Amino acid sequence: MTITITAFERSPDRGRGLARDMRIRWALEEVGQPYEVRLVSFKAMKEPAHLALQPFGQIPTYEEGDLTLFESGAIVLHIAERHGGLLPDETNARARAISWMFAALNTVEPPVFDHSLARILERDQPWYEQRLRALEESIRKRLDSLSAHLGDADWLDGAFSAGDLLMVSVLLRLKSSNILDEYPNLAAYVARAEARPAYQRAFAAQLAVFQAASAG
Ligand SMILES: N[C@@H](CCC(=O)N[C@@H](CS)C(=O)NCC(=O)O)C(=O)O
C-alpha cells in the first residue's frame, strides 16, 4: 500500500530539514519504506480537505490505505511498530525507547521550539533579550540532564531507536544557536545521527523540494 505524507510546498526553514515532515521521511528511510509526498501551501493547510486529515491545519500527515494519521510522534511510533529497525523487540527495552520518544516531544521540544520561534517572531519586542535568556536556561536544564544520561554512549538506550530519531530531530533546531556546542557529547550524538544514510536520504529529499520551489 502506498504511503503518502504531507510537507510544506515551500518550507520556511529553507530546506534545513527542521520541518516535521523530516522526522517522518527519516523514519521511513530507516525502515526502508518507499513513500510519496503531497506538498501543501499554507493556504491549503487551513482548508477543509487538509483539516479532515489534520484538525489543526498543520503538516505532517500520513496516509496508508484507509489509515490517516497526524502528529509526528504518533506517525513515527506507527512506522516503528509496523516495521522492524526502530524499536527493540524486547518488551522492556521497547517501552524505554518509547519513553525517549515522549521525552523528546514533551520534555525537550517545548523550550527548544519556543526558543527558535522567539528568535524569529519576537526580535522586535522590548523584552526579547530577557525572554531569550530565560528560554536558553530552560533548554540548558534539559540538556544538562540529557547529556548526563547519554554520557559516552552512542545512543540513549542501547541501539539506535525511534527515541533517538525524535530526540535528534528536536536537537537539530539548536544548531543555529551555540547552545549545543556547550555539550560536546550531545553535539557528537547529533552528528552521529546526521551521518546515518537514512538521515542523509531524507534530508536530500526535503532539500530537493525547497530547491525546486525556489527555482520555479
Ligand atoms: N505537534 C505537531 C506539530 C505540527 C507542526 O507544528 N507543524 C508545523 C510544521 S513543522 C506546521 O504545520 N506549521 C504551520 C502552522 O501551524 O500553521 C506534530 O508534531 O506533528
Side-chain angles (χ1 to χ4, degrees), residues 1-5 24-38 62-65 78-79 82-83 201-202 205:
M1 230 169 314
T2 308
I3 294 170
T4 304
I5 68 169
I24 313 303
R25 294 173 183 271
W26 184 10
L28 288 167
E29 291 288 353
E30 289 283 352
V31 302
Q33 285 297 304
Y35 62 96
E36 292 180 358
V37 183
R38 193 170 58 251
Y62 175 102
E63 293 157 77
E64 186 180 15
H78 171 76
I79 294 166
R82 188 68 66 92
H83 308 281
R201 289 193 294 273

Side-chain angles (χ1 to χ4, degrees), residues 18 35-36 44 47 53 55 95 109 121 124 130 150 186 194-195 198 203 207-209 212 216:
L18 301 179
Y35 62 96
E36 292 180 358
E47 287 171 354
L53 307 177
E109 186 163 52
L121 301 179
D124 297 337
Q130 204 179 347
L150 183 67
L186 294 182
E194 285 181 294
F203 185 87
L207 180 60
V209 171

Side-chain angles (χ1 to χ4, degrees), residues 25-94:
R25 294 173 183 271
W26 184 10
L28 288 167
E29 291 288 353
E30 289 283 352
V31 302
Q33 285 297 304
Y35 62 96
E36 292 180 358
V37 183
R38 193 170 58 251
L39 300 175
V40 287
S41 64
F42 270 93
K43 182 170 175 287
M45 280 163 55
K46 307 301 174 196
E47 287 171 354
H50 188 75
L51 289 171
L53 307 177
Q54 216 292 6
F56 304 103
Q58 299 178 314
I59 60 103
T61 58
Y62 175 102
E63 293 157 77
E64 186 180 15
D66 57 9
L67 175 68
T68 300
L69 293 174
F70 65 99
E71 282 296 328
S72 59
I75 298 170
V76 171
L77 180 59
H78 171 76
I79 294 166
E81 284 184 325
R82 188 68 66 92
H83 308 281
L86 280 176
L87 284 176
D89 291 334
E90 197 271 317
T91 310
N92 287 354
R94 197 176 178 91

Side-chain angles (χ1 to χ4, degrees), residues 194-214:
E194 285 181 294
R196 292 177 73 83
Y199 175 91
Q200 298 281 326
R201 289 193 294 273
F203 185 87
Q206 63 78 39
L207 180 60
V209 171
F210 179 75
Q211 287 171 336
S214 306

Side-chain angles (χ1 to χ4, degrees), residues 3-215:
I3 294 170
T4 304
I5 68 169
T6 50
F8 284 131
E9 186 176 77
R10 189 182 283 265
S11 181
D13 80 344
R14 307 181 60 79
R16 287 190 298 142
L18 301 179
R20 289 175 176 85
D21 59 295
M22 174 63 198
R23 47 187 78 166
I24 313 303
R25 294 173 183 271
W26 184 10
L28 288 167
E29 291 288 353
E30 289 283 352
V31 302
Q33 285 297 304
Y35 62 96
E36 292 180 358
V37 183
R38 193 170 58 251
L39 300 175
V40 287
S41 64
F42 270 93
K43 182 170 175 287
M45 280 163 55
K46 307 301 174 196
E47 287 171 354
H50 188 75
L51 289 171
L53 307 177
Q54 216 292 6
F56 304 103
Q58 299 178 314
I59 60 103
T61 58
Y62 175 102
E63 293 157 77
E64 186 180 15
D66 57 9
L67 175 68
T68 300
L69 293 174
F70 65 99
E71 282 296 328
S72 59
I75 298 170
V76 171
L77 180 59
H78 171 76
I79 294 166
E81 284 184 325
R82 188 68 66 92
H83 308 281
L86 280 176
L87 284 176
D89 291 334
E90 197 271 317
T91 310
N92 287 354
R94 197 176 178 91
R96 288 196 305 273
I98 294 171
S99 296
W100 280 113
M101 296 177 69
F102 278 82
L105 302 182
N106 260 356
T107 306
V108 182
E109 186 163 52
V112 170
F113 187 70
D114 287 352
H115 179 257
S116 59
L117 219 54
R119 290 176 76 199
I120 299 166
L121 301 179
E122 295 169 358
R123 268 183 190 283
D124 297 337
Q125 299 298 334
W127 36 259
Y128 173 67
E129 286 301 329
Q130 204 179 347
R131 163 120 169 111
L132 206 63
R133 297 290 92 81
L135 286 168
E136 283 169 2
E137 280 320 297
S138 302
I139 293 171
R140 282 193 187 94
K141 199 169 150 195
R142 297 308 183 210
L143 297 193
D144 284 350
S145 307
L146 190 63
S147 173
H149 172 85
L150 183 67
D152 294 333
D154 279 356
W155 308 115
L156 289 168
D157 191 333
F160 177 84
S161 78
D164 295 296
L165 186 150
L166 288 179
M167 190 63 79
V168 169
S169 299
V170 168
L171 296 180
L172 280 164
R173 263 187 201 281
L174 294 173
K175 274 181 82 175
S176 60
S177 75
N178 297 325
I179 302 179
L180 209 51
D181 299 334
E182 296 170 25
Y183 301 86
N185 68 336
L186 294 182
Y189 170 62
V190 169
R192 201 156 36 245
E194 285 181 294
R196 292 177 73 83
Y199 175 91
Q200 298 281 326
R201 289 193 294 273
F203 185 87
Q206 63 78 39
L207 180 60
V209 171
F210 179 75
Q211 287 171 336
S214 306

